[in-house]
Amino acid sequence: MCSECILVSEEGGESGTGFREEVTQLSRMTHWLQLVLSVGWGQMGMIVVGGFFLKTLFLERGKGERKRGRQISVDCNISVCRTTLTMEPPVGSSLLITSPLLQEFFTDSLWGTLPCSWQEALDGLNPPQLATLLLGMPGDGEVVRYRSVWPLTLLALKSTAYALAFNRTPGFQTPSEFLENPSQSSRLTAPFRKHVRPKKQHEIRRLGELVKKLSDLTGCTQVVDVGSGQGHLSRFMSLGLGLKVKSIEGDQRLVERAQHLDQELLQALEKEEKRNPQVVQIGSRRSPHHVVQWVDPRTRCEELLLPLEDSPQGGARLLLTGLHACGDLSVALLRHFSCCPEVEALASVGCCYMKLSDPGGYPLSQWVATLPGYELSYRLREGACHALEEYAQRLQKAGPGLRTHCYRAALETVIRHAQPKLRRPGVQGIPRVHELKIEEYVQRGLQRVGLDPQLPLNLAALRAHQAQENRVVAFFSLALLLAPLVETLILLDRLLYLQEQGFHSELLPIFSPELSPRNLVLVATKGPLGQAFSVLESEDS
Ligand SMILES: C[S@@+](CC[C@H](N)C(=O)[O-])C[C@H]1O[C@@H](n2cnc3c(N)ncnc32)[C@H](O)[C@@H]1O
């Protein structure tokens, strides 16, 4: 196989050409995937995918002397681009490698929808092998060894999925703050950790510090935290980092809880101050200013982003932030950033892409809207919200919890038999699934969905399903392989939307993906930040 590597330097990134190229590739890729998902291998027969693999783009974060913007390494694999990949002989139904339908693994014979050569390659792989070979996440010190020759189609899908997805590895070492104690960040003082889970401790510290730097760089006078929930981020930014913070949250109960936690923290800090006056900084403490309000992209700026009462008249410069602002809320943030003259900067981490309105939530950029096949189905967007790295860790540990998907899929066969019209009913919260025999799980599941738990069960069939546990896991792993691609497409579309309006934007991986899988922050400013962008992702000493 011969390959060519062209290094494209994207100084400043003002033109957005690099992003557009990436998006085109991604869109083609997802288009292809959707084609596969909807049409099925059988009808596809010979598929020319050369175009999709023509340019495999790698985002390469130049370290050290990196200038503003980034370098994009374009790996043009000539051999692959010329290849017409031949799909397997007809197998009937379509390939449905997206997670929500995993419950139908047995009822819809999903394993049989994979090309035979894929089945051969994946069958018999245990969970750690799946993590290593399919997801490309080997265990510590593990040497990667394939036990058979994988079909080119599967290798191509895997390589393309890796190559096109945005880099999710932050610049810092795996959360050093939890080395001493896995539940307490060593970089937050005890009062700031109280009531806050380790994942959230990591997130509020990392995003809070980024917001502080961005606020200083852009001369902002206040931060608006939208979708602030219980206010953990707002509290850290105001009482921990000294920022002036307005917190907007639609759920009144969460706002009341946030205000209660503010008071608790203030008291704890005052006590600490009295006990230790030389160590603790004495200064005027300002809690976040909480507002109960549902934010809408059409809400008028003046209504939403009024400067706090004590802001100097006419001089307010706002930084808009949102930590896991779900679905359309992230879109609202982007729209307010671009429409409100007072908003100078944005730092937004999104989540729950399946909640994006259609149309309205995606695509946002004109560029993506003109691409053929840009659409992302609900299933693909839902799949993009999974935790790839965390699942790979679970695969490496090969714990009994992995059997849940298989049990659930087996339950679906019993439900379908008992009540054919009942499809994929919710069966949440069966405790300690991994300790149950499959028939015990099925009985509890039947009860959960309102069916008779004493229904006679075909134990032999259930055992046969259980024997396919690794196939279910392999199928789910295939679906997860695509998750970062879809997320990348959604986020690159947002970058392009901002660039089309002449703003400056970057996507930075700021959270450890194992701790917090939605870990990319979209940072945007109205004025150029130049090299200062790179300061934002660095870890404070
Ligand atoms: C995933 S939670 C994140 C909460 C918080 N930022 C955190 O990280 O702990 C999203 C929050 O946004 C709020 N929210 C969602 N849509 C909203 C909207 N349109 N306006 C205001 N709040 C919204 C929800 O009530 C929820 O508390």
Side-chain angles (χ1 to χ4, degrees), residues 200 227-229 249-251 254 293-295 323-324 326 329 351:
K200 191 64 69 189
S228 49
E249 166 57 51
D251 185 332
L254 292 178
Q293 187 171 354
W294 282 102
V295 178
L323 174 53
H324 295 148
C326 43
L329 188 56
C351 70

Side-chain angles (χ1 to χ4, degrees), residues 145-160:
R145 278 202 193 93
Y146 285 82
R147 54 169 209 164
S148 65
V149 178
W150 279 23
L152 182 58
T153 44
L154 183 55
L155 290 173
L157 178 78
K158 181 182 147 179
S159 302
T160 310

Side-chain angles (χ1 to χ4, degrees), residues 91-146:
V91 287
S93 59
S94 54
L95 177 75
L96 299 163
I97 46 176
T98 47
S99 57
L101 297 182
L102 209 62
Q103 296 119 310
E104 295 174 326
F105 185 83
F106 298 119
T107 52
D108 290 21
S109 306
L110 294 185
W111 185 254
T113 66
L114 294 178
C116 295
S117 58
W118 291 28
Q119 292 180 25
E120 271 169 36
L122 299 173
D123 212 5
L125 292 184
N126 60 32
Q129 287 169 326
L130 284 167
T132 303
L133 302 179
L134 187 60
L135 299 184
M137 297 186 191
D140 286 341
E142 184 185 351
V143 179
V144 179
R145 278 202 193 93
Y146 285 82

Side-chain angles (χ1 to χ4, degrees), residues 95 195 210 233 324 342 344 347 368 427 437 444 518:
L95 177 75
H195 303 298
L210 180 141
L233 174 66
H324 295 148
E342 294 90 351
E344 281 298 322
V368 172
V427 192
K437 289 187 185 151
R444 292 186 197 189
R518 303 283 70 72

Side-chain angles (χ1 to χ4, degrees), residues 333-339 343-346 498 503 524-526:
L333 254 71
L334 259 70
R335 297 219 186 268
H336 287 299
F337 168 80
S338 54
C339 297
V343 181
E344 281 298 322
L346 171 79
L498 294 171
F503 302 130
T525 55
K526 297 233 165 122

